[in-house]
Amino acid sequence: MEIKEIRDRARQLAKGSCRVCPVCDGRVCSGEVPGMGGAGSGVSFRNNVEALAALRFNTRLVHEVRDPNLATEILGLKFAAPIMIGPIGGISFNLNDAMPEKDYQEAVVAGAEEAGLVAGLPDAVPLAVLEAALDIARRHPNRGVPFIKPWEPADFEAKVEMCARAGCRVVGCDLDSIGLITLRKMGHPAYAKNRRDLAGLSDAVHRHGLKFIIKGLMVVEDAVACLEAGVDAIVVSNHGGRVLDSVPGTAEVLPALAAAVRGRMAVMVDGGVRSGVDVLKMLALGADCVMVGRPFSIAAVGGGREGVALYARTYASQLSQAMIMTGCADVREAGLHLLYDY
Ligand SMILES: Cc1cc2nc3c(=O)[nH]c(=O)nc-3n(C[C@H](O)[C@H](O)[C@H](O)COP(=O)(O)O)c2cc1C
């Protein structure tokens, strides 16, 4: 199976919901939520891609790096490369029924497993979505991390308990989904959390013996609030530009958030990462691990498990090559020194 074949097939099956553009930058799909685009003008999605494109590396050639180490461990989960597949749900309404949701999530987690990575899994309003996700997580231990919506405490904890029963060791919450038009359309909006609410969510997760990731942070104060609430990891993210128009690219805000909390909690990031080269840029800016969203949707729809594994291996090999060319021996040693004029 070749990448071109996967992309052609995904374009066909997505029936216009994703055009599988030469560069996935949110231009053609501006405002398409539901769909694969960014909210409103689509500028938040585009800012993610543009912020990464603006970064340049220092090429370094006098060193001994031949076979850089890509492997890492985050919250007890093992990664062959510091790449996590972002949770993507609502395949029926976002991807025009390109494939059944269950098959999509299975392809993503099984493909991640094959390549030694980990994938996020979605939660949604019908309970069946999380039940299907957890069935997959159970069959692929430590390869699927469910991301629960920030529901009210009792509903949130009931879902965390389901995750624990499915054998998950880590659970996430996409706090920024309070801005999702799709939840409002279904009549189940979720609401912002204050510091006490956050501590409550964190305690609920820890009571069940799991580690807790909060996804969707864009400002230092919120990252510090998560740290103080006992959260174990954050994902710097604007939900792929889908929850608020006119926000910066995540690569613009990552250095400040990482400087505030890194070392005391794991720092992940996503938004506009389109290659292993982009992964290294995010690591250089302070991430421990980098999430990738839409490209893996194309991989899953166009190539199933095999397509996901192929994309994952391609990202890892691009990352390795970029590390050789910048003299970076280990993903944990990436830093701002890798970037030109930063
Ligand atoms: C169609 C679609 C559905 C998504 N569903 C979810 C979801 O259910 N839960 C979640 O935490 N993030 C969700 N996201 C956000 C992704 O996990 C991720 O943050 C984003 O796609 C990263 O940006 P990228 O696609 O440019 O890589 C979704 C994104 C898209 C495009």
Side-chain angles (χ1 to χ4, degrees):
M1 188 179 288
E2 303 232 334
I3 286 187
K4 179 174 179 335
E5 201 183 320
I6 293 171
R7 289 170 57 82
D8 288 346
R9 195 169 138 75
R11 192 178 295 107
Q12 219 176 13
L13 290 171
K15 301 181 283 290
S17 57
C18 174
R19 278 66 137 204
V20 190
C21 303
V23 182
C24 172
D25 60 5
R27 270 170 213 287
V28 175
C29 54
S30 288
E32 295 182 8
V33 185
M36 292 302 283
S41 69
V43 82
S44 303
F45 181 172
R46 292 204 295 278
N47 283 345
N48 284 340
V49 176
E50 282 167 16
L52 279 166
L55 295 170
R56 293 158 296 167
F57 288 111
N58 291 314
T59 306
R60 268 185 230 283
L61 305 173
V62 184
H63 56 70
E64 291 175 0
V65 181
R66 288 185 176 196
D67 187 16
N69 176 51
L70 271 56
T72 193
E73 194 174 316
I74 314 262
L75 307 182
L77 300 173
K78 290 192 174 9
F79 292 77
I83 300 167
M84 183 158 168
I85 302 179
I88 289 201
I91 305 311
S92 59
F93 51 84
N94 287 316
L95 268 159
N96 225 340
D97 277 319
M99 68 198 286
E101 173 106 22
K102 225 160 37 92
D103 296 357
Y104 175 96
Q105 305 301 347
E106 173 75 31
V108 166
V109 175
E113 180 170 59
E114 195 177 312
L117 305 185
V118 173
L121 285 163
D123 170 38
V125 177
L127 191 59
V129 172
L130 184 64
E131 285 171 342
L134 293 181
D135 178 51
I136 294 165
R138 189 182 296 110
R139 285 185 287 101
H140 301 276
N142 297 318
R143 294 296 167 191
V145 173
F147 281 77
I148 309 296
K149 302 288 178 211
W151 308 121
E152 294 305 299
D155 293 341
F156 180 83
E157 183 157 4
K159 288 195 162 179
V160 170
E161 195 181 338
M162 288 169 64
C163 298
R165 266 192 273 120
C168 298
R169 286 208 223 138
V170 181
V171 70
C173 171
D174 46 327
L175 202 57
D176 57 355
S177 61
I178 62 169
L180 266 185
I181 194 165
T182 43
L183 289 190
R184 271 177 270 144
K185 277 190 168 177
M186 289 175 193
H188 280 268
Y191 300 103
K193 303 286 177 256
N194 63 26
R195 285 170 174 266
R196 208 180 46 243
D197 301 330
L198 263 186
L201 298 185
S202 179
D203 289 349
V205 172
H206 292 147
R207 254 198 307 281
H208 291 278
L210 280 70
K211 299 270 190 213
F212 191 28
I213 307 174
I214 287 206
K215 176 169 177 280
L217 285 310
M218 287 294 284
V219 297
V220 169
E221 297 81 347
D222 285 359
V224 171
C226 285
L227 180 69
E228 289 172 357
V231 173
D232 303 290
I234 55 165
V235 186
V236 177
S237 173
N238 56 26
H239 218 100
R242 292 167 67 78
V243 289
L244 177 63
D245 204 351
S246 291
V247 301
T250 51
E252 294 175 82
V253 301
L254 170 61
L257 276 80
V261 300
R262 194 174 182 200
R264 292 183 289 166
M265 68 197 313
V267 175
M268 312 205 220
V269 65
D270 71 14
V273 175
R274 298 294 175 259
S275 67
V277 174
D278 284 344
V279 171
L280 186 58
K281 289 178 179 178
M282 289 298 205
L283 297 179
L285 294 176
D288 297 300
C289 183
V290 181
M291 269 191 186
V292 184
R294 295 173 180 91
F296 280 101
S297 297
I298 293 169
V301 170
R305 173 190 53 78
E306 214 183 309
V308 170
L310 174 62
Y311 267 55
R313 284 194 293 265
T314 305
Y315 268 64
S317 111
Q318 292 163 341
L319 170 62
S320 173
Q321 185 62 19
M323 289 172 70
I324 291 170
M325 290 305 292
T326 53
C328 180
D330 191 300
V331 287
R332 287 162 295 197
E333 289 167 13
L336 292 175
H337 61 283
L338 298 186
L339 298 176
Y340 172 73
D341 203 18
Y342 192 83

